[in-house]
Amino acid sequence: MSLIQKIKKFLNWTNESKPEYNLNTELYQQLQSFRLPLIAVVLMMLFGTLGYVVIANFSLIDGIYQAGMTFTTVGFTEVAPISTAGRLFTITFILMGFGVFTFSMGLVIEVLKKGALTKVIKERNMLYKIARLKNHFVICYHNLYTIELTRQFRENHIPFVVIDSREDLPELAETYKYPYFIVDEPHTQNAMLKTHLSSAKGLITLSPNIADNIALIASVRLYEKELGRVKPYFIMTNSENDDDTQKLKKLGANSVVSPSKLVAQRLSAVSVRPDMENMLEQFLYKKDSPIDIEEIKVPELSWLRFKRLKETHLRDITNADVVGIRDQNNKFTPMPKGDTLIGTGSKLLVIGTAESIRATKKLIFSKHKPEEFKYV
């Protein structure tokens, strides 16, 4: 790889950084309005040059130079003495040039006043920025949940793109500090190309209408099959009741959050244990928290398979706690007892420090017995 290629790769000037959606057609359509003024200016220059060559006997270069100075009303002196006929031609040429200039400026100002050209240019620049993202989240629909979620993502340096069809999204993006955003219908093919979904980690749809969330989940899963993606998208959404939650999960959502249920659970927990009110904020949701939580899938070759939880001694070895187990049928058991069996395809919800969770992963993915491990 040459030095120039290395510099281009470092600056993301490679072909991989090009957006998947091309706005050149829209840009050319907006620039079509400039063709007539440009043609008028060229014709005026041609008319003036020929006039000075024929009437004033100027050379071709002198004729172009004199026509340019006259048309732009610079005010320099003539290249050579001009006859009376040449002066009359100059007056006519100035008046015609003023008319063409006024007409051309009127068209340019009208195009810029509509704002469509500026909008296309800004969106095109945004697409190039989004094309550089990797493992980002696409957040669909702007609302109160989006505002809070994007704030958390920014604090934890998680890349994201917000997409919504509302026309005031650019102003909202500036207010709520969305670095990347797209104005479009989230469930369309164009939206998936514009948000660079092919390189995304997952999608979060936060529409209050379940039909919108269903359409998005189905569209993304179909797009996933078209791409032949090895690792499926992680799709999250929201719902208002348990029936909608089950529907969304059956359609392909990995995680469905019910705001009303979460609020009820929080209020119930606080009413029973007021002293535990800020535990989650202090230990789990802060980006610099020493406590972390992660779901770890037990591989087929792991020594943990078909063992009871108390037989693994995970707490003694890694200093991490298993606070939940999800079996292969997606049945979740919170705070499992020691007699709980770890079956094939089980997922352990582990809580502890980042260091202890890394040690737990190492232990779970090993074929060796726990006696051969020491806490790292």
Side-chain angles (χ1 to χ4, degrees):
M1 185 182 292
S2 64
L3 178 61
I4 295 177
Q5 290 176 332
K6 290 180 179 179
I7 294 174
K8 287 183 177 180
K9 184 177 180 181
F10 176 75
L11 296 174
N12 285 326
W13 288 355
T14 57
N15 293 332
E16 291 79 11
S17 296
K18 290 185 178 180
E20 298 175 350
Y21 188 87
N22 196 328
L23 281 176
N24 288 339
T25 303
E26 289 83 350
L27 183 61
Y28 294 152
Q29 288 177 349
Q30 295 300 322
L31 292 176
Q32 284 180 354
S33 302
F34 295 102
R35 289 187 302 181
L36 185 58
L38 182 62
I39 292 173
V41 171
V42 172
L43 290 177
M44 283 299 300
M45 285 295 299
L46 181 62
F47 172 73
T49 301
L50 292 177
Y52 283 115
V53 169
V54 174
I55 298 174
N57 295 322
F58 283 3
S59 65
L60 180 61
I61 297 299
D62 289 343
I64 295 174
Y65 181 71
Q66 185 65 48
M69 287 193 303
T70 306
F71 179 70
T72 57
T73 64
V74 172
F76 289 168
T77 57
E78 293 84 357
V79 175
I82 301 178
S83 62
T84 303
R87 291 180 179 179
L88 292 174
F89 172 78
T90 299
I91 295 172
T92 304
F93 184 58
I94 290 174
L95 293 175
M96 292 177 62
F98 180 77
V100 170
F101 177 78
T102 304
F103 170 74
S104 300
M105 287 302 299
L107 284 179
V108 171
I109 293 173
E110 183 66 22
V111 171
L112 296 178
K113 186 179 178 180
K114 290 180 180 178
L117 176 61
T118 306
K119 182 180 178 181
V120 172
I121 293 174
K122 288 182 178 179
E123 185 177 6
R124 189 170 181 268
N125 293 336
M126 180 63 69
L127 291 180
Y128 273 90
K129 293 178 182 178
I130 294 174
R132 298 171 184 168
L133 297 178
K134 302 293 182 182
N135 295 321
H136 59 286
F137 279 95
V138 177
I139 304 175
C140 303
Y141 304 107
H142 167 84
N143 49 40
L144 293 177
Y145 301 127
T146 307
I147 296 172
E148 183 61 27
L149 177 62
T150 54
R151 185 181 68 83
Q152 297 286 342
F153 274 9
R154 287 196 307 273
E155 291 179 358
N156 291 278
H157 306 290
I158 300 174
F160 63 90
V161 179
V162 177
I163 179 167
D164 201 323
S165 60
R166 54 192 302 169
E167 294 296 330
D168 60 341
L169 186 59
E171 291 77 17
L172 294 171
E174 184 176 358
T175 302
Y176 298 108
K177 300 179 181 179
Y178 300 158
Y180 310 103
F181 62 91
I182 292 294
V183 180
D184 208 328
E185 288 291 346
H187 63 273
T188 62
Q189 182 79 8
N190 289 344
M192 297 178 188
L193 296 175
K194 289 181 179 181
T195 57
H196 204 44
L197 187 61
S198 60
S199 297
K201 183 177 182 180
L203 178 135
I204 304 173
T205 170
L206 299 172
S207 174
N209 187 355
I210 187 175
D212 294 334
N213 294 331
I214 290 174
L216 264 166
I217 293 171
S219 300
V220 171
R221 290 305 182 198
L222 287 174
Y223 185 66
E224 180 181 275
K225 291 182 179 180
E226 291 177 5
L227 294 176
R229 231 178 118 96
V230 178
K231 188 176 181 180
Y233 289 115
F234 187 81
I235 301 179
M236 292 178 282
T237 184
N238 62 321
S239 68
E240 293 299 328
N241 52 65
D242 291 337
D243 290 339
D244 290 347
T245 299
Q246 295 303 320
K247 290 178 184 177
L248 292 168
K249 286 187 176 180
K250 288 179 181 179
L251 286 168
N254 299 96
S255 178
V256 182
V257 178
S258 177
S260 57
K261 187 175 180 179
L262 287 176
V263 171
Q265 290 175 343
R266 178 63 181 272
L267 292 174
S268 176
V270 173
S271 63
V272 176
R273 293 287 304 275
D275 56 316
M276 300 294 288
E277 179 179 3
N278 297 320
M279 186 189 71
L280 290 178
E281 286 80 357
Q282 291 296 324
F283 294 106
L284 293 183
Y285 296 153
K286 292 178 64 177
K287 63 179 180 179
D288 55 350
S289 171
I291 305 298
D292 200 358
I293 186 169
E294 187 171 343
E295 190 176 62
I296 306 172
K297 184 177 181 180
V298 179
E300 293 185 1
L301 299 178
S302 175
W303 64 273
L304 268 75
R305 291 173 66 238
F306 310 120
K307 290 187 178 294
R308 300 189 183 279
L309 185 59
K310 63 183 179 181
E311 297 173 351
T312 64
H313 302 287
L314 288 177
R315 169 68 180 174
D316 299 329
I317 301 171
T318 65
N319 202 28
D321 290 305
V322 178
V323 296
I325 296 180
R326 190 184 304 275
D327 61 19
Q328 59 180 353
N329 297 322
N330 207 31
K331 180 182 178 181
F332 183 74
T333 304
M335 303 304 295
K337 297 181 180 179
D339 293 333
T340 303
L341 188 67
I342 302 175
T344 303
S346 296
K347 296 179 181 178
L348 307 183
L349 188 62
V350 182
I351 187 171
T353 64
E355 189 178 15
S356 64
I357 289 180
R358 283 196 299 268
T360 304
K361 277 186 177 180
K362 183 178 179 181
L363 185 61
I364 291 175
F365 282 88
S366 175
K367 301 178 184 179
H368 301 285
K369 295 181 179 180
E371 289 78 10
E372 301 179 32
F373 276 86
K374 293 183 179 180
Y375 172 64
V376 181

